[in-house]
Amino acid sequence: MKVVYSDTHKDHDPQLFMVRGKLKRSNEQPERAFRLLEAVQREGHEIVATRDFGAGPRAAIHTPEYLRFLANAYARWQLLDDPSEEVMPNIHPFPGQPCTYPDSVVGQAGFHMGDNACSIGARTWEAAIASANMATHAAQLVLDGERAAYALCRPPGHHAYADRANGFCYLNNVAIAAQHLRGVHDRVAILDIDVHHGNGTQGIFYRRADVLTISLHGDPRNFTPFFIGHAHERGEGEGLGYNINKPLALGTDIDGYLPALRDACDSIRAYAPGALVVALGLDAHERDPYKGMKIQTAGFAVLLAEIARLGLPTVLVQEGGYLSDDLGPNIASALRGFESAA
C-alpha cells in the first residue's frame, strides 16, 4: 500500500496540555509519527512524499476566519505582554448566548479553540497544512486508481470543526479527504474507528446527505468528548439519518466491537458510496495510554479486513494511537488485515 508522509510535523511538539487541571506535555508527540513510519517501512509499504495541493482543500471545509486565525495566531500571541510560549485559551463563548467575534487574539483563541488540548506553537500551522495535504494526496491516489492509500497524518484531525480546533486537531484531515473525493463521487462514507468520537467530522457534515458519517467510540457519557457522540444524534435537515453514532462501553474487546463494526458496514453498503474514508485511530488498543477499549494488536487486522470487504476505494487517515511499544505493531497489523481482504 502507498503511504503518504511528510516530516513537516516534527517541529510541532506541543508542550501545553491541561489534564485534570494540570499542565503537562501533550500526548500528541512527534515520536508517534516516527514509530508509525518505521513500522510501515519495515513492512515494505511504499512511502510517497506529500504533494502540496494549495489552500483549496482546507478552504472547502474550514471557515476563512478560522484559517486566518490558525495562520497568524502564534505571531500575534507573541506580541502580547508576557505571553506563554504557545497559544492556549482561557475564556470561551457561553453556549446559547449572543456572541460577537472578538478583535483580540485572546478572544479569538477562545472562539476558535475548543479545549486545552490543542495549543498552537511556532510551527503548528505548517504541520497542520502538511497533514491536510497528506490526506488530500492519499485521496487523489485513490481517485487515480489505487485500491487504497494510507495518509500518515500528524497532527490528527477528526476533532477539528469547520471553525474550531479541538483535541490535538486543527484541520480536519478526514473531512478534507472526503470532500476531495466528492469532486468525483456523488456519495462518500466516513467510518471513524478511533476510541474517541469524531465530533468535528460530525459537526462538519451534520446537515449533509452526500457524506455519511459513522463513528464507533467510547461512550461519551463518561469519556471525552462528553457532550457529543451519543446514539440519538442522527443529523439535521437534509442530513437527518446520515450521521450514525455507535457508543461502546469502556473496556470493549474485539468480541463486543466486531458486531458494531459489521452493523456499520451494513449501513455503508446500504448507502452505496463511491468511496470510503476511514479515520484510523489505533487508540482502542488495550495498552494505549487512554485505556478506553481492549482491542489487541491482532484485532486491528480483523477490523480492517472487515472494512476492506466492503470493496470500496478507501483512504485510510491516521488519527489517534499514542505512545506505547504496541503502536508500530498495531499499524502493521491494521494494514496487513486490510490488504489480506482487499
Side-chain angles (χ1 to χ4, degrees), residues 266-314:
D266 285 343
S267 295
I268 292 170
R269 290 186 182 94
Y271 184 66
L276 173 68
V277 182
V278 177
L280 182 55
L282 301 170
D283 42 5
H285 188 260
E286 60 184 348
R287 284 187 290 275
D288 186 87
Y290 282 100
K291 303 185 187 307
M293 294 186 189
K294 293 185 178 179
I295 305 299
Q296 297 179 339
T297 295
F300 286 109
V302 175
L303 300 181
L304 269 293
E306 194 71 34
I307 295 168
R309 281 191 278 273
L310 288 167
L312 291 167
T314 302

Side-chain angles (χ1 to χ4, degrees), residues 4 15 33 110 121 215 245 249 261 266 333:
V4 185
Q15 302 297 306
S215 180
N245 288 326
L261 178 62
D266 285 343
S333 174

Side-chain angles (χ1 to χ4, degrees), residues 13-16 73-75 77-78 82-88 119-124:
D13 188 4
Q15 302 297 306
L16 298 181
Y74 178 79
W77 192 265
Q78 298 312 309
D82 193 27
S84 57
E85 178 56 31
E86 297 171 349
V87 181
M88 178 176 273
S119 61
I120 297 172
R123 299 302 301 276
T124 297

Side-chain angles (χ1 to χ4, degrees), residues 171-231:
L171 298 176
N172 194 308
N173 305 314
V174 165
I176 288 168
Q179 188 64 36
H180 193 71
L181 293 168
R182 275 285 291 110
V184 171
H185 299 289
D186 291 337
R187 293 181 305 284
V188 174
I190 295 173
L191 176 60
D192 192 322
I193 60 170
D194 191 279
V195 78
H196 303 103
H197 176 247
N199 53 323
T201 309
Q202 172 174 307
I204 288 166
F205 294 114
Y206 205 58
R207 294 170 181 83
R208 289 174 54 173
D210 60 329
V211 178
L212 173 70
T213 54
I214 304 180
S215 180
L216 284 68
H217 50 270
D219 193 331
R221 289 178 299 174
N222 48 22
F223 199 62
T224 191
F226 298 112
F227 311 108
I228 190 168
H230 301 272

Side-chain angles (χ1 to χ4, degrees), residues 28-253:
E28 208 290 285
Q29 300 172 20
E31 181 66 20
R32 295 180 59 238
F34 293 137
R35 291 195 189 187
L36 293 166
L37 177 65
E38 182 180 310
V40 296
Q41 287 176 322
R42 199 163 45 238
E43 290 286 302
H45 297 287
E46 179 183 352
I47 310 301
V48 178
T50 308
R51 176 179 147 201
D52 185 356
F53 283 79
R58 57 185 181 267
I61 292 296
H62 296 284
T63 66
E65 293 83 2
Y66 178 56
L67 293 173
R68 284 198 299 268
F69 168 78
L70 286 179
N72 300 311
Y74 178 79
R76 294 171 64 204
W77 192 265
Q78 298 312 309
L79 297 176
L80 297 173
D81 182 36
D82 193 27
S84 57
E85 178 56 31
E86 297 171 349
V87 181
M88 178 176 273
N90 59 277
I91 188 168
H92 298 278
F94 297 107
Q97 300 297 310
C99 178
T100 299
Y101 190 74
D103 295 328
S104 165
V105 67
V106 177
Q108 288 177 11
F111 188 92
H112 289 302
M113 301 171 74
D115 60 15
N116 295 126
C118 50
S119 61
I120 297 172
R123 299 302 301 276
T124 297
W125 175 232
E126 289 80 5
I129 289 173
S131 195
N133 277 327
M134 288 182 233
T136 308
H137 193 160
Q140 187 60 48
L141 287 173
V142 168
L143 290 177
D144 290 342
E146 293 291 331
R147 167 68 177 82
Y150 169 49
L152 207 170
C153 291
R154 182 184 175 268
H158 73 148
H159 295 307
Y161 289 79
D163 63 353
R164 189 167 68 215
N166 183 237
F168 307 150
C169 301
Y170 306 90
L171 298 176
N172 194 308
N173 305 314
V174 165
I176 288 168
Q179 188 64 36
H180 193 71
L181 293 168
R182 275 285 291 110
V184 171
H185 299 289
D186 291 337
R187 293 181 305 284
V188 174
I190 295 173
L191 176 60
D192 192 322
I193 60 170
D194 191 279
V195 78
H196 303 103
H197 176 247
N199 53 323
T201 309
Q202 172 174 307
I204 288 166
F205 294 114
Y206 205 58
R207 294 170 181 83
R208 289 174 54 173
D210 60 329
V211 178
L212 173 70
T213 54
I214 304 180
S215 180
L216 284 68
H217 50 270
D219 193 331
R221 289 178 299 174
N222 48 22
F223 199 62
T224 191
F226 298 112
F227 311 108
I228 190 168
H230 301 272
H232 66 266
E233 298 159 12
R234 301 182 55 244
E236 292 179 352
E238 291 184 2
L240 183 61
Y242 295 95
N243 185 82
I244 300 172
N245 288 326
K246 295 185 173 295
L248 301 171
L250 299 185
T252 294
D253 61 12

